[in-house]
Amino acid sequence: MERGRKIQVLGIFVGTFANSLVFTIIFPFASKLVMDFGMSNNRTTTGYWVGIITFSLMLGRTIASPVFGVLCDSWGRRPVQIIGLSSITVFSLMFGFSTNYWYAVTVRFVLGFFTPLSIVNKTLLMELVPEDQNSSVMAWFSMFWQFGNIMGNVLGGILVDPKSSGLIESGVFADYPYLLPNFVASMIGLVALLISFFLLEETLHTNEDQNKKESESSLWSIATDGTVSMILGIYILVSVNSTGFQEVISLWSWAKKENGGFEFSTERIGTVLGIGSFLLLFVQKKFHSYLVSKLGMLKLTNFSSGLMIPIFVVIPLGSFFRYSETLSWVAMMISTVGFLLVNFFVMTGIIVLSNNAVVRKERGRLNGIFMTAGSLARAVSPLVFGNVFALTAESDWVYPFNFAFSFYLMAFFALCLWRLSLLLPFSITHKKETLLEHSSELTSYKV
């Protein structure tokens, strides 16, 4: 891949990082924000309100994604990319100036509405790199997304309320406790915006002859295709569990020890999740490449989906160590690393396999469909898991119907997605246009 395209791909990765960062940066301090704005005075029951503020961003993405998916295929990839990065730059900064709960909810909704980066980034990467590098580049895409998740937890936990932590004594960052982490997110979005604005090329019409040969389908016909619908179902379940885990692991860390939690501070939540996740970043890409070479993308996705089940069953057992300073750290890090590694394998596989299911001119709409479904899942997930955790954690119910019930609910969803992954056909491991081309060649040969 030539140097110019490498820079474009790097810009996409930076945008992916920023997109992931703004989603997760709120998790470490969401419970604090809820209590600071007077919505709750109980550490264990903040999940009711945390779910709403997390829901708002994904609700915005759910509503806007079908429109941006169509625009991506008709208007172009580049303008949609510019809109998304501009949204991160502006609205992250606006969120940092939050002074009441409902203002924060509104800004998160608008941020989600105008940030269709998950649609356009996956589409661009599939078109900027050769087919034999798709697996590798999507693994890097997932790594940058996961790295954004990690840094969101770290920055959100460490940089929030810098005046109280002694990081900053006065000035605008001291006056607005939620500004500093969101300012950092905004600046990262600005860097990606400048790279894309000046260097990103349009890929929609780079191969006009091929585009003319490819048929166009409606959103409905793409979504109801048998193979696409199966992958979509898996993606929805993965999105539910991915967001649910990030929500519950933070609420569990924040909750009182008498309710099965660890009573971590926001700084500690960010630090613990960050340390475990950083350790994972050093090995997961090479580990993924090795497993893909041995098993193939489809088998690795099947295996990883099944492995999610025992991980969710085991994680709540870490509560037995909550009264030990050292062991509580270890339990949280092992839980984080175990889930994120398996989730990385599954999500990377789904990204590649889903884009293989349609031809070039349909990928924007396909990713718009996936973004809509995934955003809806990510919108509902924190709302559901936040309320379920708050309800069960403060109850007198016995294990596993206490705080652990949220993790067992995720284990059930993991069972469903594993069974669904086993139904995927092997043909999905190749791009659809490649299969159509070979089919056409074979027909010509027979004639």
Side-chain angles (χ1 to χ4, degrees), residues 369-397:
I369 293 167
F370 273 67
M371 180 72 167
T372 302
S375 296
L376 181 60
R378 291 177 185 274
V380 174
S381 179
L383 198 62
V384 171
F385 281 106
N387 280 274
V388 168
F389 183 85
L391 177 64
T392 55
E394 68 171 346
S395 71
D396 295 325
W397 300 339

Side-chain angles (χ1 to χ4, degrees), residues 93-136:
L93 205 57
M94 289 180 63
F95 181 80
F97 287 101
S98 297
T99 55
N100 67 76
Y101 178 80
W102 293 111
Y103 169 88
V105 169
T106 302
V107 173
R108 290 282 288 183
F109 171 81
V110 178
L111 172 63
F113 189 93
F114 289 105
T115 312
L117 291 177
S118 291
I119 300 172
V120 68
N121 283 351
K122 288 180 283 188
T123 305
L124 280 166
L125 289 173
M126 291 293 287
E127 296 173 353
L128 283 172
V129 303
E131 182 173 356
D132 60 351
Q133 297 179 26
N134 284 163
S135 175
S136 177

Side-chain angles (χ1 to χ4, degrees), residues 292-303:
V292 169
S293 67
K294 294 296 182 181
L295 300 176
M297 184 64 75
L298 182 57
K299 285 187 178 180
L300 178 58
T301 303
N302 296 151
F303 175 76

Side-chain angles (χ1 to χ4, degrees), residues 18-30:
N19 188 34
S20 175
L21 185 72
V22 298
F23 174 61
T24 59
I25 203 167
I26 192 176
F27 284 116
F29 63 76

Side-chain angles (χ1 to χ4, degrees), residues 3 23 72 126 201 211 217 253 275 295 316 340 351 374 381 424:
R3 185 170 178 272
F23 174 61
C72 194
M126 291 293 287
E201 66 183 48
N211 286 339
S217 303
S253 303
I275 291 174
L295 300 176
L340 289 180
I351 292 171
S381 179
L424 293 174

Side-chain angles (χ1 to χ4, degrees), residues 1 13 129 134 167 205 217 240 258 295 328 379 393 400:
M1 187 165 55
F13 286 153
V129 303
N134 284 163
L167 188 63
H205 304 298
S217 303
V240 167
E258 64 188 69
L295 300 176
S328 62

Side-chain angles (χ1 to χ4, degrees), residues 175-194:
D175 296 335
Y176 295 92
Y178 305 105
L179 178 58
L180 184 55
N182 285 282
F183 173 78
V184 173
S186 176
M187 292 303 100
I188 295 172
L190 179 60
V191 171
L193 174 61
L194 293 175

Side-chain angles (χ1 to χ4, degrees), residues 77 127 203-216 359-361:
R77 321 310 195 193
E127 296 173 353
T203 63
L204 179 60
H205 304 298
T206 54
N207 193 336
E208 293 292 348
D209 292 336
Q210 180 65 26
N211 286 339
K212 290 175 183 177
K213 295 177 182 178
E214 295 169 356
S215 61
E216 293 189 35
V359 293
R360 175 193 295 265
K361 288 192 69 176

